[in-house]
Amino acid sequence: QVQLVESGGGVVQPGGSLRVSCAASGFSFRSYGAHWVRQAPGKGLEWVSFIRYDGSEKYYSDSVKGRFAISRDNSKNILYLQMNSLRVEDTAVYYCVKDRSFGTPRAFDIWGQGTMVTVS
Amino acid sequence: QSALTQPASVSGSPGQSITISCTGTSNDVGGYNYISWYQQHPDKVPKLIIYDISDRPSGISNRFSGSKSGNTASLTISGLQAEDEAEYYCYSYTGSRTGVFGTGTKVTVL
């Protein structure tokens, strides 16, 4: 069964740090690009970050560039998002998402259930 | 990285067809074919329904179709059904090596 399971969300004070993780199973995780997408309460979807299948390239939205870092461990099938200098406006559900391709932010075909991050 | 522009709401009666627009710029929608659409029911995870402008993933009804003209992409839902009532988001790859979602459209089945 193809699955993405996020963990690590919680409540953190402004200026603090948090790392969320995503465990992949049921498919060849190392063969696909992966994203983090967030959704603030009652708001729309916001693309946050993308990492190529091999971790060789990483892209970020302007709103998180310089504060967040995406990484992956293909030996463990895990995707990470390290979030530093957190702001109140970073409060959202963070989704781990598999891309259809290996190297370009193309389309999101498998979504995790999300993990809630509250900055307060 | 401004969000792509979608109408806030669209409605239609069962059996009718509706179209949702998604307007960007030549740096995103107009410049790339990596346009996709997502359906999100309340308190549910988004679901991919169209990718690469007009392709449907396996298992997605052919009542959903996509197109693009210039800087505007469109999603058409034909034969509208009660289960289609949801929020819909477009997405585009951009020239800045980033992605951007649309503002979202709430579809109401009358």
Side-chain angles (χ1 to χ4, degrees):
Chain A
Q1 181 185 0
V2 175
Q3 199 171 8
L4 296 169
V5 179
E6 302 93 337
S7 61
V11 180
V12 60
Q13 292 184 344
S17 297
L18 197 66
R19 188 178 80 162
V20 292
S21 303
C22 169
S25 59
F27 67 99
S28 179
F29 176 72
R30 67 181 65 238
S31 299
Y32 295 94
H35 305 256
W36 289 98
V37 173
R38 68 186 181 184
Q39 187 168 33
K43 302 297 184 182
L45 300 174
E46 181 186 5
W47 178 83
V48 173
S49 184
F50 170 82
I51 186 168
R52 280 173 57 99
Y53 72 107
D54 58 358
S56 61
E57 291 192 23
K58 305 169 185 181
Y59 309 149
Y60 300 93
S61 68
D62 287 345
S63 61
V64 307
K65 194 176 298 182
R67 301 188 299 122
F68 289 13
I70 190 171
S71 61
R72 64 192 299 162
D73 185 337
N74 285 343
S75 68
K76 298 180 179 178
N77 291 343
I78 298 179
L79 179 72
Y80 301 101
L81 184 68
Q82 176 68 44
M83 300 182 286
N84 300 326
S85 302
L86 281 161
R87 304 167 180 167
V88 171
E89 55 265 36
D90 294 320
T91 295
V93 172
Y94 283 74
Y95 293 105
C96 166
V97 194
K98 170 190 169 293
D99 198 280
R100 285 186 59 86
S101 79
F102 63 90
T104 303
R106 179 179 178 184
F108 315 87
D109 61 352
I110 305 295
W111 295 67
Q113 288 300 309
T115 187
M116 183 70 202
V117 173
T118 301
V119 185
S120 176
Chain B
Q1 287 176 342
S2 298
L4 306 175
T5 301
Q6 298 180 231
S9 62
V10 173
S11 62
S13 300
Q16 285 187 330
S17 293
I18 61 169
T19 297
I20 302 169
S21 61
C22 170
T23 301
T25 69
S26 58
N27 194 47
D28 38 64
V29 174
Y32 300 93
N33 291 336
Y34 292 160
I35 311 297
S36 50
W37 289 89
Y38 302 85
Q39 177 192 62
Q40 187 178 31
H41 288 106
D43 298 321
K44 298 295 186 183
V45 174
K47 177 182 180 181
L48 176 66
I49 55 174
I50 294 288
Y51 67 96
D52 292 356
I53 299 177
S54 58
D55 289 341
R56 281 185 307 276
S58 174
I60 298 301
S61 170
N62 58 10
R63 298 186 300 103
F64 294 95
S65 62
S67 62
K68 187 183 91 166
S69 177
N71 295 338
T72 298
S74 299
L75 173 72
T76 297
I77 308 175
S78 58
L80 198 62
Q81 299 179 1
E83 67 205 50
D84 299 332
E85 189 160 292
E87 193 83 17
Y88 290 82
Y89 296 92
C90 60
Y91 163 87
S92 175
Y93 176 63
T94 83
S96 307
R97 292 190 179 183
T98 60
V100 61
F101 281 100
T103 49
T105 299
K106 180 175 175 55
V107 169
T108 301
V109 181
L110 300 172

